Every structure is written in structure tokens, then in C-alpha cells.
């Protein structure tokens, strides 16, 4: 694990802040950004400053209990949320919380984020859970991410916004862009007709591709092929439940195949196989572009 260079991290936080503000992901002084500099040192944004106008010297450094150890401005009031992620996942370098409008719309109506629709979402995000509502700024609020933090890299907070994390702050930012773009497309698609879901086989292929990229997904380890019908998070993680009012989930077909994902019986090449190849090429280009950004 490579910790962030402090000067580079300060510049990256300011850059991510500008992008958040320009995209309307963080109105006024909303949102907060943090980067781990050392196991117990977190560089974070100050409270009460617009993310669109951050300067490197505005940032604060806190320990893992949220105690400020450097910086003249006061640390963000949402530091406990970030620390929940950093404490649970010692390898995580960047955490980003904001209010991207399209994703937050889903969080406002507690609508389950559909799976098995877009390849990029399957590969880069996987299932995106929604955590229960609690009053922002409290430890109880920060704890709402804990049931999901090990099996997700991006999630929504009911009636509030999003939080994403990754091995760099740019990755957390890209995850946020992907979930908001996806939710925007879902809202557009809803005007046209019902969603057409990818098949279990198509999603199994995406998960195998994801595995080769070294991105983990709990579904890679699932023993049955019901990748799209079941939610990893709706049962057994927390007592908060989301709804599927706007987007009916695909019909569950747990007996359609056996074995691990991607080990379903092969079928002759079809046009859908060809389109999967094109999509995988697109994803590869995105990965290379993302790596080039670092
Ligand atoms: Zn917020």
C-alpha cells in the first residue's frame, strides 16, 4: 500500500473539490474529501468552505479519532463518516462524501439501485447499497456505513447523498461520477420503457473480467448463478430496506445455471457475445485512462 504524498494529496483534494462543485455534486459548502497520509493521519477538507474554492493550505490533518493535529481551519463536521471507512478498511486511501443530484434522488425515495444493467457499473462499482438515515455529523450516522463497507466501494445514504472510497482520492471521485451518471441514465431510461437486464451469463462474464482486473466483488465468490435477482445487502446486513418501485428487478432464476459465476455452460457465439466484447474493450480503455490520470 502506498500512502499519498502530502503535497500531491493537497493538490488532488483541491482538484476533486473543484470538479465536485462544477458538476453540482456539492452545492455551497456541501461535501467533504479526505486522504490517508499515514495509518493514523488523515488529510481532510475544512468545515464551512466551498469545495469549489479550496486552497492547499486550507486543509486539516486529523488522527483516527478525529482530533485535529494540523491546519488553521476547523476540520469537516463529517470526519466521523470518513473515519468509519478508514478504520474498517486500512488499505483505503481516499474517501469522498457529497450530494450528487441523480444518485441522491434514489437515496431520497429509498429506491434500490438496479444491478445487471450497465457493464461499467458492474465492473467498477458492483452493487451499490443505501444506508439508513441518521442525523448527519453524529457517530450513529457514521456507523451507518459499517454493514456495507467491506463489500462495496460506493454507497448512498438515505435522504442525504453518497459516499465512495478507493485506493486514491481520484478513484473515489470516479466512483462518484459513475454512480451519478448511472442514476441519471436510469431516470432517462425510465421515460422510455422498462429496463432490459443483462443475463446471468453476461454478468458472469463481466465478473470474470473484473476478477482479472484485480477488482473484488462479493458476487465473484457466490456459489450459485443468481447474480441479478438477489441483493447482497437487502437481507441480513441491516434492518433498513429499500424499495423497487420505479425499477422492477429482473425475474429471479436461481436454477438457470449451476457452479460459480462464469462457469455456466458455454453457448455458441451470438451477437450478444460480440457486443460484450465491444463493451469489455470500452471498459479496458476506461481502466487505462483512469490509470493514466494518476
Ligand atoms: Zn452531506
Amino acid at each position: 500500500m502506498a500512502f499519498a504524498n502530502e503535497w500531491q494529496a493537497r493538490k488532488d483534494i483541491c482538484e476533486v473539490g473543484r470538479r465536485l462543485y462544477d458538476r453540482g455534486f456539492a452545492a455551497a459548502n456541501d461535501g467533504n474529501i479526505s486522504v490517508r497520509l499515514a495509518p493514523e493521519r488523515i488529510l481532510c477538507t475544512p468545515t464551512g468552505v466551498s469545495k469549489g474554492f479550496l486552497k492547499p493550505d486550507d486543509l486539516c490533518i486529523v488522527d483516527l479519532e478525529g482530533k485535529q493535529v494540523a491546519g488553521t481551519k476547523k476540520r469537516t463536521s463529517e470526519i466521523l463518516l470518513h473515519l468509519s471507512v478508514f478504520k474498517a478498511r486500512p488499505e483505503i486511501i481516499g474517501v469522498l462524501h457529497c450530494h450528487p443530484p441523480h444518485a441522491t434522488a434514489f437515496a431520497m425515495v429509498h429506491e434500490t439501485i438496479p444491478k445487471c444493467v450497465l457493464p461499467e457499473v458492474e465492473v467498477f462499482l458492483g452493487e451499490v447499497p443505501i444506508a439508513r438515515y441518521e442525523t448527519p455529523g453524529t457517530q450513529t450516522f457514521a456507523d451507518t456505513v459499517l454493514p456495507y463497507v467491506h463489500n462495496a466501494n460506493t454507497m448512498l445514504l438515505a435522504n442525504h447523498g453518497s459516499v465512495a472510497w478507493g485506493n486514491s482520492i481520484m478513484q473515489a471521485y470516479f466512483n462518484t461520477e459513475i454512480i451519478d451518471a448511472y442514476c441519471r441514465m436510469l431516470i432517462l431510461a425510465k421515460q422510455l420503457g422498462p429496463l432490459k437486464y443483462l443475463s446471468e451469463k453476461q454478468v458472469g462474464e463481466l465478473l470474470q473480467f473484473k476478477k482479472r482486473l484485480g477488482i473484488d466483488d462479493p458476487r465473484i465468490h457466490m456459489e450459485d448463478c443468481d447474480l441479478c435477482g438477489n441483493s447482497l445487502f437487502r437481507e441480513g446486513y441491516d434492518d433498513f430496506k429499500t424499495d423497487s418501485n420505479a425499477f422492477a428487478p429482473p425475474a429471479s432464476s436461481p436454477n438457470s445455471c449451476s457452479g460459480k459465476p462464469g462457469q455456466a455452460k458455454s453457448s455458441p457465439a451470438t451477437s450478444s457475445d460480440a457486443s460484450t466484447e465491444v463493451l469489455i474493450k470500452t471498459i479496458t480503455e476506461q481502466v487505462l485512462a483512469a490509470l493514466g490520470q494518476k
Side-chain angles (χ1 to χ4, degrees), residues 166-196:
N167 57 18
S168 69
I169 191 59
M170 288 311 290
Q171 189 183 5
Y173 172 72
F174 284 139
N175 290 349
T176 305
E177 271 196 354
I178 292 169
I179 188 59
D180 198 64
Y182 179 46
C183 290
R184 187 168 72 238
M185 289 181 234
L186 286 168
I187 293 165
L188 290 171
K190 177 75 181 165
Q191 332 283 315
L192 303 174
L195 283 182
K196 300 286 190 272

Side-chain angles (χ1 to χ4, degrees), residues 54-70:
L54 282 173
K55 296 187 292 297
D57 285 345
D58 289 338
L59 305 179
C60 318
I61 299 177
V62 299
D63 65 17
L64 277 193
E65 302 313 311
K67 183 167 160 283
Q68 188 156 343
V69 297

Side-chain angles (χ1 to χ4, degrees), residues 39-83:
E40 301 199 357
R41 283 293 178 273
I42 309 295
L43 181 68
C44 68
T45 48
T47 189
V49 175
S50 170
K51 303 309 156 301
F53 303 92
L54 282 173
K55 296 187 292 297
D57 285 345
D58 289 338
L59 305 179
C60 318
I61 299 177
V62 299
D63 65 17
L64 277 193
E65 302 313 311
K67 183 167 160 283
Q68 188 156 343
V69 297
T72 52
K73 293 192 160 68
K74 189 175 183 299
R75 58 148 177 78
T76 170
S77 58
E78 291 296 16
I79 193 64
L80 296 176
L81 174 70
H82 295 245
L83 294 175

Side-chain angles (χ1 to χ4, degrees), residues 205-279:
E205 286 170 2
L206 291 172
L207 291 181
Q208 289 304 307
F209 175 71
K210 185 170 186 173
K211 193 175 171 185
R212 289 199 294 279
L213 288 178
I215 308 173
D216 198 23
D217 187 311
R219 292 175 296 171
I220 291 171
H221 313 291
M222 279 170 63
E223 290 297 323
D224 66 51
C225 287
D226 190 13
L227 300 171
C228 301
N230 280 340
S231 166
L232 294 162
F233 301 114
R234 289 190 78 193
E235 307 293 338
Y237 279 70
D238 196 3
D239 57 0
F240 172 74
K241 298 281 190 292
T242 54
D243 301 316
S244 296
N245 288 326
F247 298 97
S252 180
S253 53
N255 299 319
S256 60
C257 53
S258 60
K260 291 184 179 176
Q263 293 181 337
K265 289 193 186 85
S266 59
S267 57
T270 62
S271 61
S272 81
D273 289 326
S275 62
T276 303
E277 257 178 46
V278 172
L279 291 167

